[in-house]
Amino acid sequence: MPSFDSPSASLSPAAEAGASTRAPGAILVVDDHDLLRLGVCALVQAQAASSGASIEVFEAANAADAIALYETHQASIGLVLLDLALPDTHGLSGLAEFRRRFPAARIVVLSGTGSSTLAQGVLALGAAAFLPKSADLKEVVSFIRACGLLDPASPDAAELPPPAMPKSLAGYAEFAHASAWRELTPRQMQVLQWVLEGKANKEIAQLANLSEGTVKNHVSTILLLFGMRSRAQLISTLH
């Protein structure tokens, strides 16, 4: 059973002629681990070939390259598989920036942390799904197929409705406080992640290169957004 930890075979991405008349059929895989990108791409290519489809796969190892690639090829990219832990991002900053630049992009987030708190933030920011890297790669393939990317294209492909989340992930979308997550700035998301890790304001100030007063203001704003009375209540609720 293929998994994110499995190395894979060679790739043979190819763009089909006439793609402009169909729904976007390419995939952008964003992860700083070469083997993971190779594994995802190889399985996607194999699954596509088995159904007679042809998928072009773009790869990026950091958020900056991913954004540049998507900007150039967004007309053909139907799905972005985005890792959160990239060299040039922190917390949800990469997803937030991608969504700010390309609000119509369909993004599936991959994360080494299977935290429900993290999943809540990811979905609140508009990602189509959250998949921990411990999940079987077949979950990724199932979602890609739901997007209409693994089957031979048809004239009606562009009319496919947005795919539903895999059943195992649907519960995350029902978490409360979704509006609060959407209002957080990238900096506040970073601060919140550190708070949930149990770090004190002084530690956060050092990590973020901010004054303790500024960190205290961020924490106060976060508590207000989530309707919490204390740091302890925030941690208890979001964990």
Side-chain angles (χ1 to χ4, degrees), residues 53-156:
S54 177
I55 290 185
E56 185 171 14
V57 179
F58 298 97
E59 297 182 36
N62 57 61
D65 288 349
I67 287 172
L69 271 171
Y70 191 86
E71 189 165 27
T72 302
H73 302 284
Q74 59 185 298
S76 61
I77 295 175
L79 187 69
V80 179
L81 301 179
L82 177 67
D83 182 33
L84 291 183
L86 297 170
D88 53 349
T89 66
H90 188 292
L92 301 180
S93 64
L95 173 62
E97 178 63 13
F98 217 107
R99 292 287 298 160
R100 185 186 70 80
R101 296 278 297 272
F102 311 106
R106 180 181 278 155
I107 302 172
V108 170
V109 165
L110 308 176
S111 174
T113 304
S115 160
S116 60
T117 299
L118 187 60
Q120 177 186 1
V122 161
L123 295 175
L125 282 174
F130 173 91
L131 288 173
K133 289 184 179 179
S134 58
D136 194 286
L137 260 182
K138 288 183 178 178
E139 287 195 62
V140 178
V141 174
S142 294
F143 193 91
I144 295 171
R145 177 167 281 113
C147 294
L149 301 180
L150 288 181
D151 300 309
S154 69
D156 299 325

